[in-house]
Amino acid sequence: MSDPVRPGDRGGAGVEPPADLPPSATGVGRRGRVSPAGLARSLILAAAGNRIAEAVVARYGMRLGASRFVAGETMDECVAVIRGLNREGLRCNATVLGEAVRSRADADQAVRDYQLLLARLADEQLTANVAVKLTLLGLEVGAELAEANLTQLLDLASPRQQFVRIDMEESRHVEATLGLYRRLRTGGVGNVGTVLQAYLYRTASDLESLLPLGPNLRLVKGAYRESPQVAFPRKADVDRSYVQLMERALTSSGYTAIATHDEAIIEHAIGFTRAHRIGPDRFEFQMLYGVRPQLQRSLVARGFPVLVATSFGTRWYPFFMRRLAERPANLLFLGRNLLRR
Ligand code: FDA
């Protein structure tokens, strides 16, 4: 979970927080009232970082409902999913699940997992790149370790024209993540991209500072539990911020991955790219495996590039909890699966 950030300690020169900030993080609506959905989201995200809750939920296995969002516990299972999605005209992005490793040995293991994954995707000639979390590569052990590990993976991916995206995690990691991304781009690394989160006040200024690098950016709303000192607490503000960032990114020289399941935003993006004659070589839609699969296919049928993010591995708990928090109604199928046991 993200550390509470002190006022004035936002680490970037972004937009000021709204003056009428609610008293606590996500879950509190206008006038300080707690909305049931917001409260559920907040509680689920609090449990996402709890190792005891993880041990309990993991005991019940993928049958609890995680299999809807996780493309398998093994690489073989994920590769089979990717093969099927590719056949339907969907690009993929594979991620080895895991984050916040606390030892060099665990980070080294993650590097070996990604080395195998990159080799497998190339051998099978799949239309799939990879995404990686810096905390899985050891960011919380040491920034140099994560940088060295990522560089190893990029060196392996580059000769095969494989692309590596650095996921964005809690706000306390944004500075290190963007710093590393900038160093790589200014050092001439082409096969790397990262993610910007629309819920952070700082993101508009981060985007401006990255644009001269011709970046490949995935825009997301943001999935972590953040303080209202750093992130818009209200969904309407996050949605507005998303559209502004998207339009700015699309009219720049970079590549924009529009990662959302929000149909209104997707239709807005389609209208905007048409009006500004922005071709499909400059953007793609991205969605998560298991979320709005019909929408994914209908966009492909309309001729748009669509990438599905496919994650696999046994450390699915925090990822699964973030998917539940995005739509607390998902708790219903978790409940049904528990009762069915
Ligand atoms: P929103 O939450 O408004 O949802 C719009 C609609 O989509 C909902 O009404 C519902 O129909 C459907 N929907 C959304 N989430 C659902 C779910 N879990 N289950 C079922 N239906 C759902 N975040 C981050 O902080 N760092 C990152 O690196 C990434 N990476 C990333 C990659 C890709 C490819 C995607 C699509 C998303 C991410 N995210 C992320 C997650 C992102 O921040 C956000 O939490 C989710 O995409 C949900 O927000 P939407 O934009 O879909 O909109």
Side-chain angles (χ1 to χ4, degrees):
M1 287 301 91
S2 71
D3 285 338
V5 179
R6 290 180 298 280
D9 188 18
R10 292 195 301 282
V15 180
E16 286 300 310
D20 60 339
L21 275 179
S24 70
T26 323
V28 181
R30 210 183 291 268
R31 296 180 216 288
R33 280 200 210 106
V34 178
S35 75
L39 182 63
R41 178 180 144 81
S42 212
L43 290 173
I44 297 166
L45 287 177
N50 185 305
R51 302 239 166 186
I52 297 169
E54 172 165 8
V56 172
V57 174
R59 256 189 56 211
Y60 290 99
M62 296 260 280
R63 281 165 302 168
L64 267 185
S67 58
R68 174 177 162 194
F69 303 108
V70 175
E73 289 198 320
T74 66
M75 193 184 301
D76 283 346
E77 287 166 348
C78 184
V79 162
V81 167
I82 292 174
R83 226 182 271 127
L85 291 167
N86 280 179
R87 272 198 296 270
E88 293 186 81
L90 294 151
R91 310 167 173 182
C92 292
N93 173 241
T95 300
V96 180
L97 288 168
E99 52 201 80
V101 303
R102 291 169 181 176
S103 72
R104 186 174 280 269
D106 285 346
D108 290 347
Q109 181 57 50
V111 172
R112 286 193 291 277
D113 291 343
Y114 268 97
Q115 286 168 337
L116 288 174
L117 176 61
L118 286 164
R120 183 76 183 272
L121 297 175
D123 288 349
E124 302 229 5
Q125 299 185 328
L126 295 167
T127 309
N129 54 45
V130 303
V132 64
K133 289 188 171 35
L134 287 183
T135 66
L136 179 64
L137 297 185
L139 184 63
E140 290 178 351
V141 181
E144 314 73 36
L145 176 65
E147 181 157 355
N149 284 340
L150 179 68
T151 304
Q152 258 195 73
L153 295 179
L154 288 166
D155 288 347
L156 183 69
S158 176
R160 303 177 185 138
Q161 274 91 47
Q162 288 176 303
F163 179 83
V164 179
R165 186 173 303 280
I166 312 169
D167 281 341
M168 192 57 81
E169 305 178 66
E170 291 99 326
S171 58
R172 66 196 154 101
H173 296 309
V174 170
E175 203 58 37
T177 305
L178 295 184
L180 174 51
Y181 181 67
R182 278 193 194 96
R183 279 196 297 287
L184 291 167
R185 289 293 295 157
T186 44
V189 179
N191 61 325
V192 66
T194 191
V195 179
L196 291 180
Q197 296 156 321
Y199 63 11
L200 297 182
Y201 305 131
R202 59 174 288 163
T203 297
S205 85
D206 285 335
L207 175 61
E208 287 307 320
S209 74
L210 291 171
L211 288 180
L213 300 173
N216 184 321
L217 295 173
R218 169 197 287 162
L219 299 181
V220 300
K221 290 189 186 174
Y224 295 83
R225 186 167 172 243
E226 297 292 356
S227 147
Q229 296 301 331
V230 296
F232 294 107
R234 289 190 286 260
K235 183 171 168 20
D237 293 324
V238 179
D239 292 354
R240 198 172 310 116
S241 159
Y242 191 101
V243 171
Q244 285 166 1
L245 294 166
M246 181 179 77
E247 292 184 352
R248 181 71 184 111
L250 282 168
T251 46
S252 79
S253 60
Y255 185 87
T256 308
I258 303 166
T260 182
H261 315 91
D262 186 325
E263 268 190 88
I265 291 183
I266 290 170
E267 288 306 325
H268 181 86
I270 291 171
F272 187 85
T273 51
R274 281 205 180 115
H276 291 80
R277 298 181 188 284
I278 298 163
D281 55 322
R282 298 271 318 289
F283 73 97
E284 69 186 0
F285 293 110
Q286 296 194 350
M287 294 187 216
L288 297 169
Y289 175 70
V291 180
R292 307 298 311 269
Q294 295 315 319
L295 179 59
Q296 297 167 12
R297 282 147 185 89
S298 76
L299 287 168
V300 170
R302 290 165 69 186
F304 294 105
V306 180
L307 175 146
V308 178
T310 47
S311 302
F312 74 96
T314 51
R315 290 281 328 270
W316 45 260
Y317 173 79
F319 174 83
F320 176 51
M321 295 301 273
R322 288 196 290 274
R323 303 297 73 85
L324 291 181
E326 281 157 3
R327 192 160 174 268
N330 287 343
L331 279 172
L332 291 176
F333 76 72
L334 186 145
R336 272 201 300 274
N337 292 341
L338 262 177
L339 289 175
R340 214 177 281 145
R341 286 178 51 79

